[in-house]
Amino acid sequence: MQARDLCFKQALTAALALAFVLVPASKALAQTPDDFYRAEVVIVERLADPSAIEEQMAGMPVEPPLSGIRSLWVEDANGNRASDVRLAARNELYLNQAAARLENSGNYRVLATAGWYQTFPPNYNGRPMRVAVGKWLGEAGERAVEGHIEIDRQRYLHVKVHLNHWQEGEEQQELITWIRETRRMRSEEIHFIDSPTVGVLVFFRKIEG
């Protein structure tokens, strides 16, 4: 796969530097278990002409979507969202300011803003959580950005991102770019996992009792 789009990363880095402001959670937690975290994921799409993307994805083998897994953020043909996670409102997210600045720049579209509380004990083997967002592709019967995200913890927290970005072609669905990456997380730091057309912001904060 060719080099990442440097302009995309530079613009996003600048936006995050201006935007990231930690704000307190809306509800205080009187008691919290050990290894209790606030997890946040923001998925963004770069508003770029797919024909200008230099990734050579034709013929790349793509596994079928996982079935029977939990949904993190799944939108149907009518834009109705389904999630098996109790999500916080967007205005409560630590990443809300970053998401808003990216939208206001006119260069990005925010596709999903998911934040939730969860315990991640040591040796925690997470389960994949389904994602389906972006433009509805009628011929394919699915969203343009689909895949799954998984969070594990051994000694450190790790986030696995497996997303495909599709478009409708003349004869069939065409793959534009994808993300296949596992990243070790650091608490209270923004991490960015990207492809030339899709990016995922990830944030964790440990909640003390």
Side-chain angles (χ1 to χ4, degrees), residues 97-160:
Q97 294 290 330
R101 285 189 178 273
L102 290 175
E103 283 183 314
N104 293 337
S105 73
N107 297 318
Y108 310 95
R109 177 184 297 114
V110 174
L111 303 180
T113 54
W116 70 99
Y117 291 96
Q118 185 174 340
T119 299
F120 296 103
N123 301 316
Y124 173 80
N125 293 317
R127 294 181 297 166
M129 297 180 290
R130 187 181 170 212
V131 171
V133 293
K135 181 181 178 182
W136 178 255
L137 306 179
E139 292 294 327
E142 65 180 32
R143 292 284 168 178
V145 178
E146 56 81 23
H148 60 268
I149 294 175
E150 182 178 334
I151 302 171
D152 299 322
R153 184 183 179 193
Q154 300 304 314
R155 184 176 179 183
Y156 301 100
L157 283 166
H158 290 83
V159 170
K160 301 176 182 178

Side-chain angles (χ1 to χ4, degrees), residues 3-25:
R4 302 279 175 85
D5 188 330
L6 294 179
C7 292
F8 181 31
K9 299 183 74 172
Q10 291 170 354
L12 184 59
T13 300
L16 292 176
L18 292 172
F20 181 57
V21 178
L22 287 178
V23 295

Side-chain angles (χ1 to χ4, degrees), residues 4 18 32 35 68-69 79 94 105 113 137 140 167-168 183 198 209:
R4 302 279 175 85
L18 292 172
T32 57
D35 304 309
I69 63 174
Y94 298 129
S105 73
T113 54
L137 306 179
Q167 68 177 354
E168 291 179 327
R183 181 77 61 85
V198 180

